[in-house]
Amino acid sequence: MRFARILPIAVLVIVCLLGGASAAEPPLFSAFKKFCAETNAKPNSVKAAIEGAGGRLSKGPVDSDGWPFAVGLTIWDITIDGRDVNVSASAQRIPSRSNKAAYNADSCILNEFAADDASVEAIRKWIGVLPGNVMRPDDSLVGNGKKASGVTIYNYSYAVVGDSHVPIKDQTSLHEAERRGRYWSVVVLSDSHSASVQFTHELGSSTESR
């Protein structure tokens, strides 16, 4: 059963289209820690971190109130160890409607325009739980029976309890994590010429974003 929730794919598509680290760490992993993990993906904190590191505003801020989702998105460019990386901060706010609860989430999305297997593995190790599912190039078919592109996609979800990442094991633990604002999902993508990570915190009924 899949528990990972992914922001509408349009957000990631928009980021992909639009758009100093420690020498001991691969570039995307270093950027992930500094701009996503340490900021808890809060848009204003991501903004302060990336601009403080010399990031250059690329697009935004763009705010959309349209259905099916309301989203604010800002993208910056930065060079890390000679690698081009873009960093985006996204805030999604969907009010409650009919029998559906409100959905509020903050996301930090990174795209590196070069292969970076070392960063992908370091991020997976940092997450520290098993992926809910993994899609590899041979796992699915796209239009006209053609194989999917060479992208490998890892989907993760977990609850943050203290300093620990606790796997989401069932619906009970999922709802408890959501209720307490402890639910996180991470999507890691990798292919022969790029690497990306989408880091999302589901806020529950709170729209606070600092």
Side-chain angles (χ1 to χ4, degrees):
M1 182 180 297
R2 294 179 58 187
F3 295 107
R5 293 188 180 177
I6 305 172
L7 279 175
I9 194 65
V11 176
L12 191 54
V13 171
I14 290 170
V15 173
C16 291
L17 291 176
L18 293 177
S22 168
E25 296 178 336
L28 190 68
F29 178 55
S30 177
F32 169 76
K33 289 202 308 180
K34 184 171 186 177
F35 305 133
C36 295
E38 293 177 7
T39 64
N40 286 321
K42 293 179 178 179
N44 288 343
S45 298
V46 175
K47 178 179 186 293
I50 185 66
E51 292 182 352
R56 305 170 298 279
L57 183 65
S58 174
K59 298 290 181 181
V62 176
D63 294 303
S64 171
D65 295 323
W67 179 258
F69 57 89
V71 61
L73 179 67
T74 306
I75 304 174
W76 299 265
D77 296 323
I78 192 168
T79 301
I80 300 176
D81 289 347
R83 303 286 190 97
D84 292 331
V85 177
N86 69 27
V87 180
S88 75
S90 172
Q92 186 181 14
R93 304 292 182 259
I94 302 178
S96 59
R97 59 195 186 281
S98 61
N99 62 340
K100 295 182 180 294
Y103 178 80
N104 302 297
D106 290 337
S107 285
C108 176
I109 306 172
L110 304 181
N111 290 286
E112 179 183 359
F113 302 104
D116 192 347
D117 292 343
S119 281
V120 168
E121 291 309 307
I123 291 169
R124 295 181 62 207
K125 182 177 180 181
W126 179 92
I127 294 168
V129 302
L130 294 175
N133 61 71
V134 180
M135 180 176 290
R136 303 185 188 278
D138 292 337
D139 288 346
S140 64
L141 298 175
V142 292
N144 299 319
K146 296 179 180 178
K147 290 292 185 182
S149 65
V151 179
T152 299
I153 305 173
Y154 303 91
N155 288 294
Y156 295 87
S157 63
Y158 57 86
V160 173
V161 180
D163 294 328
S164 300
H165 296 173
V166 179
I168 300 294
K169 297 180 179 180
D170 51 33
Q171 290 288 347
T172 299
S173 60
L174 170 64
H175 294 323
E176 180 69 6
E178 290 176 330
R179 184 179 71 82
R180 293 178 175 271
R182 294 175 173 174
Y183 181 86
W184 292 79
S185 65
V186 189
V187 183
V188 183
L189 298 86
S190 176
D191 63 19
S192 61
H193 55 79
S194 65
S196 302
V197 57
Q198 178 175 301
F199 185 63
T200 300
H201 181 203
E202 186 173 318
L203 305 175
S205 61
S206 171
T207 58
E208 181 180 2
S209 179
R210 293 190 297 268

